[in-house]
Amino acid sequence: MKVFPRRRGAVLVNSALGVALLGAAALAYTVLDDGSGTTAAKAPVRTATVTKGTVLATVSGTGTLASPTDAAQDFTTGGRLTAVKVAVGDQVTKGQVLATVDTTAAQQQVDAAQAALNTASVNLTKARAGVTTTTVQQLPAKANGSSGSSGSSGGGTSGANGTGGTGGTGGTGSRGAGGSSASAPAADPSGQTAPSAQATVPAAPVAVPEPQTTTISTTKVDEAAVAQAEQQLATAQTNLSNAQTALAGTTLTASVDGTVASVAAKAGDTVGATGGGSSTGGTKSTGSSATAPSGFIVLTNPTGMQVTANFSELDSLKLKKGEAATVTLNAQSDSRFNASVLSVSPLPVSGSGGGAAAVQYSATLQISGDTSKLRTGLSATVSVVTGEADNALSLPTSALSGTGSSRTATVVHQDGTTDRVTVEVGVEGDTTVQVLTGLNEGDKVELASTSGSNGFPNGSFPGANGGQGGRNGGGAGAGAGVAGIGGGAAAGGAGAARGGGR
C-alpha cells in the first residue's frame, strides 16, 4: 500500500498529539496529588471558647398594629342630619357632641308616652280604691208598759175596802189603793153622803218615738282590675323610657377620646340608626391582619396599641402569656418597642394549613412605652423571648454535635490533642447554647469545618487553574483541564490535519 505524503504528515501529527495528551494527564495527576496533600497539611483547626454570658431563645412572627380603643360612632336614632360638629383630624374628648339629627318625631313620641303614663297612673289609683256601696237600715223599736190597767185594778181594790174607792178611778193605781180623802165628797153631818161632782182631767198625749236608722258603707276591690292596671302602668313606663332614649339618640357624642379618622355624611343627609350605637370594640384582627372599624364617624386612639402576629405551629407552642418581646416596624427598622404576650389563640389562623401551606397560630401582644405616633395597620416583625439564661456558660451551637439535651463536643487542648466529651445543654438560643455540664469556662472546642463543601479538599474544582489556559486557547495546561476544557489546541490541530488529509 502506498502512503501519500499528505496522509503521512497527518499520521505523524496525530501521534505527536496523543503523546502530548498522555503527558499532560500524568502531569495533572501529579499536581492534584501534591496540592491536596499540601492543603490538608496546612488546613488550620477552627475552635470556639466557652464563655459566660446571656443566652436568649427567641421565636419570630409578623403582624400588624391595632388599637383596642379605635371606635365607630353611630346614631341610635336615624333621621336628617341637622349638624356635623367635627371634621377629619379633629381631636375630641369623651362625651363631646359630634353630630345631631332632627328631634321632631322623637319628641312627639316622648309626649305621647308621657300622656299614656299619666292615664295609666290614674287608672291604677282608681282600681286600688275599689267600688263603695252605701245602704240605710232601720233599727228595731223599744217595748213600753200600760199604766191605765194598773190604775183600774187599784181603784177596784179601794171600793172593796169601803174607803171611797170610787174616787180612785181617775188616779194611778197607787193613788186609788190609798183611798185619798181629798178625792171623796164631804160627809154630811146627818151621816148621809152627799153626791159630788167629779172633775174631768184631760189625759196627756202619748209621744210616739220616731223610727231610728243606720248607714252601712261597703268597699269592694277587684284584684284582677288592679293587676291589669299595674301591667298597663309598667308598659307605659317602659314606653316612656324607650322614647326618651330615642330622643337622646338624636345627639351623637364621642364614646372615647381620640382623633376623627373619617366622617361619612354631611348636614342635610339622612343617616340610619344602629342598634348598638357607638362601638368601642377596637380594631378587629383576623390572624395577623387588622380590620379598622367602620361607622358614621370613626375615632382612632393609639393609646394601648397592640400587635397581632402569626407564628409557626412549632414556635406557637413556646409562647406563653407575659413573655417579653420586641416589636420592630417594617417601615422603620430603627423603631423598636417593648411588648409582652397577652394571649395566644388556640385555633389556627383562617386559611392556614390548607394544602401545602404551613399551619400558623396568632398571638396578641401589648406594646409598652410611647405609642402616640403609631397607627393602626402598620406592619411589624415580632421577636418573643421564650427562654433566657443569664451569666451562663455558652458556646456556638455549631461546636456541638447531635440534638436534644445531651450532645457531644471535641475539646482541643493546648498541646494540640483532642478529647471527645458529652455536654448537657440548657437554653438553646439563635446562635449559642447554654452549657450545663461537660465543659468549663475557657475550654476550646473544635468547630465543624466549613471547607470542601463541594466535595474537594481545597474547596475548588480540580484543574480549574489549568483550565484557564484551555479557555484562552492555550496548549496543554497543567491540570485536568488540559484534557478537557484546555484541549482546544489539540482538537484544533487534529482538525487541521484531517482537513489536510482530504
Side-chain angles (χ1 to χ4, degrees):
M1 178 178 176
K2 185 176 181 180
V3 179
F4 294 99
R6 289 184 176 180
R7 289 186 176 276
R8 186 181 299 113
V11 170
L12 292 175
V13 171
N14 289 337
S15 298
L17 291 174
V19 173
L21 290 174
L22 291 174
L27 178 62
Y29 177 81
T30 302
V31 172
L32 285 174
D33 182 65
D34 293 343
S36 63
T38 303
T39 302
K42 294 181 179 180
V45 177
R46 300 172 59 248
T47 62
T49 303
V50 179
T51 60
K52 277 192 174 182
T54 300
V55 180
L56 294 178
T58 62
V59 295
S60 298
T62 57
T64 54
L65 274 61
S67 174
T69 55
D70 288 350
Q73 311 291 295
D74 290 296
F75 283 99
T76 56
T77 302
R80 182 179 59 83
L81 279 170
T82 55
V84 177
K85 300 180 179 296
V86 294
V88 174
D90 289 351
Q91 298 288 331
V92 299
T93 57
K94 183 177 180 180
Q96 180 177 336
V97 176
L98 305 177
T100 58
V101 297
D102 185 26
T103 62
T104 302
Q107 185 62 57
Q108 290 175 350
Q109 292 178 355
V110 170
D111 295 341
Q114 183 63 62
L117 177 62
N118 295 339
T119 301
S121 179
V122 172
N123 292 339
L124 177 59
T125 301
K126 292 181 178 179
R128 288 174 174 173
V131 177
T132 301
T133 303
T134 302
T135 58
V136 179
Q137 293 183 354
Q138 184 174 356
L139 295 177
K142 295 181 180 180
N144 296 323
S146 176
S147 56
S149 60
S150 298
S152 173
S153 175
T157 302
S158 299
N161 293 330
T163 56
T166 56
T169 302
T172 62
S174 59
R175 293 178 181 272
S180 174
S181 57
S183 301
D188 186 83
S190 63
Q192 297 294 327
T193 301
S196 59
Q198 294 182 353
T200 301
V201 179
V206 180
V208 179
E210 295 182 358
Q212 297 183 359
T213 60
T214 181
T215 301
I216 301 176
S217 298
T218 304
T219 302
K220 182 178 181 181
V221 177
D222 189 345
E223 297 298 334
V226 172
Q228 183 179 5
E230 289 176 344
Q231 181 61 42
Q232 291 175 349
L233 180 64
T235 301
Q237 290 173 336
T238 301
N239 292 340
L240 177 60
S241 177
N242 293 338
Q244 291 172 339
T245 300
L247 179 60
T250 60
T251 300
L252 181 62
T253 58
S255 59
V256 295
D257 297 343
T259 303
V260 178
S262 64
V263 180
K266 62 183 183 300
D269 294 344
T270 299
V271 294
T274 60
S278 298
S279 171
T280 56
T283 302
K284 297 181 180 179
S285 297
T286 304
S288 61
S289 61
T291 303
S294 60
F296 168 61
I297 293 177
V298 175
L299 302 179
T300 61
N301 190 338
T303 302
M305 188 69 72
Q306 299 175 354
V307 58
T308 301
N310 291 344
F311 295 85
S312 67
E313 53 185 328
L314 176 61
D315 290 345
S316 68
L317 296 176
K318 303 175 184 178
L319 297 175
K320 294 181 179 62
K321 182 178 180 179
E323 289 179 334
T326 301
V327 178
T328 304
L329 299 181
N330 293 341
Q332 295 178 339
S333 59
D334 59 341
S335 298
R336 292 182 174 85
F337 301 87
N338 294 327
S340 60
V341 178
L342 285 180
S343 62
V344 181
S345 174
L347 300 176
V349 176
S350 177
S352 69
V359 177
Q360 292 184 318
Y361 291 83
S362 66
T364 301
L365 297 91
Q366 181 68 58
I367 300 176
S368 58
D370 183 13
T371 59
S372 59
K373 295 183 179 180
L374 299 180
R375 297 180 180 179
T376 294
L378 289 175
S379 60
T381 300
V382 179
S383 178
V384 182
V385 179
T386 58
E388 181 177 357
D390 296 325
N391 195 30
L393 294 177
S394 65
L395 77 164
T397 307
S398 59
L400 300 176
S401 300
T403 58
S405 61
S406 182
R407 306 185 189 184
T408 59
T410 301
V411 179
V412 180
H413 300 290
Q414 292 183 353
D415 59 0
T417 59
T418 60
D419 286 330
R420 197 73 173 169
V421 297
T422 300
V423 180
E424 295 294 328
V425 300
V427 177
E428 185 172 0
D430 299 333
T431 58
T432 60
V433 63
Q434 178 189 11
V435 176
L436 298 178
T437 61
L439 294 173
N440 299 314
E441 184 178 5
D443 287 349
K444 293 186 179 299
V445 180
E446 182 179 352
L447 295 173
S449 176
T450 58
S451 62
S453 58
N454 55 8
F456 295 95
N458 61 357
S460 62
F461 191 82
N465 294 330
Q468 294 297 329
R471 292 188 186 95
N472 295 327
V482 177
I485 302 173
R498 286 193 295 272
R502 293 186 184 93

